[in-house]
Each structure stands twice: as C-alpha cells, then as structure tokens.
Amino acid sequence: MIVFTQSHLANDNQCVNVYLPLTAEQRTKARQYIETLEGETYYIRLPRGIVLKEGDLLTSDTQDCWAKVIAKPEPIITVRANSSLDLLKAAYHLGNRHVPLEITSDYLRFSPDGVLSSMLVQMGLTLQEETAAFYPERGAYGHHHSS
C-alpha cells in the first residue's frame, strides 16, 4: 500500500499517478485510509494541522507515486438571500454555532442539518439541497503547508 507522507502545492507540471477525491472533512485529516472508486486503497500520513486544498499534490517518501487532491462532491445545503444583509445575518448565526461554512458573496454552504435548516427558513432564506464540492472557510488560525 502506498503511504502519502508529503504534501505540495498544486503544480500543473507534475505528472500524477492517482487522483484522490476527498470530502471537505477528509481534506482536514492528517491520518486516514482512502479507497478510490477503482478499489485502490491508500494511506495518508501527513503532519498534523495541514488542510489540503483541491489541486494539492501528495507523494510518498520515495516520491515514486504522486496523487492530486480533488474536492469530492458531497451533500450540502446552499443558502441564498434576497439581500446581502440577510446573508450576513445567516453567516453570523451559522458561525455562532461553529458550523463549517463556505462563504461567498452570493451564497453560504454547510453540511445538511435539519435544525439549522429550519432556523434559516424561519429567517426567510432560501435553501437548496445539492451535491457539490464543499470548500468551508479554514478559520482565522488555519494554515497550509509550505513546500
């Protein structure tokens, strides 16, 4: 089994052997087994605190196999509002609950949660269940690798 122990920033010139579709949560885990759709199993063993982004590269100590991180589509709730103020209020309430949250100027996204969805509907926001890549904010103290 190949063990990925090093992470590198995206580089389109690097030849890639494996594509690893990872959910938002999986992109935050330093140690985990990943099984691809083809049935191949890999192990990720990275330094703690690394948050992978789509396009990042992983390799083993020997660098004989390179993998590219892909944001795996997953169930999410997309929140839209009639005004930017309403969207800001929703972001405030979701952030106050420490929910992983993708924030854009047009919408918010979070993992499905019935209680939070009900709260947002009561606030007059529009919610849509989707399956899409999820890119939550990493937080004010989040950091990335430096290779």
Side-chain angles (χ1 to χ4, degrees):
M1 173 187 318
I2 294 173
V3 179
F4 295 113
T5 57
Q6 301 174 28
S7 63
H8 303 271
L9 297 175
N11 177 354
D12 291 335
N13 295 324
Q14 177 61 52
C15 182
V16 173
N17 310 93
V18 178
Y19 291 89
L20 291 178
L22 304 176
T23 65
E25 183 180 351
Q26 289 173 318
R27 294 191 307 268
T28 66
K29 292 185 178 181
R31 287 167 172 64
Q32 62 184 309
Y33 288 96
I34 300 295
E35 185 172 337
T36 65
L37 293 174
E38 297 79 26
E40 306 265 342
T41 301
Y42 300 94
Y43 188 68
I44 296 174
R45 187 181 70 226
L46 299 171
R48 300 218 185 271
I50 288 179
V51 176
L52 298 170
K53 296 188 308 187
E54 183 168 52
D56 283 351
L57 300 170
L58 302 177
T59 190
S60 63
D61 287 335
T62 59
Q63 296 190 351
D64 56 349
C65 182
W66 287 80
K68 186 173 190 173
V69 173
I70 305 296
K72 181 179 182 178
E74 57 189 294
I76 49 94
I77 302 292
T78 299
V79 182
R80 297 190 189 278
N82 291 326
S83 73
S84 57
L85 181 58
D86 288 342
L87 199 60
L88 283 170
K89 288 179 181 179
Y92 169 81
H93 286 290
L94 291 168
N96 198 35
R97 286 156 179 83
H98 302 279
V99 175
L101 187 64
E102 180 177 341
I103 303 170
T104 74
S105 59
D106 298 322
Y107 64 83
L108 306 172
R109 283 190 172 149
F110 64 96
S111 295
D113 181 300
V115 172
L116 297 176
S117 294
S118 294
M119 174 191 72
L120 295 170
V121 167
Q122 288 177 7
M123 292 174 61
L125 299 158
T126 303
L127 277 61
Q128 181 177 0
E129 293 182 21
E130 298 182 279
T131 299
F134 182 38
Y135 305 99
E137 290 292 315
R138 293 194 330 241
Y141 302 106
H143 65 281
H144 198 266
H145 45 79
S146 57
S147 28

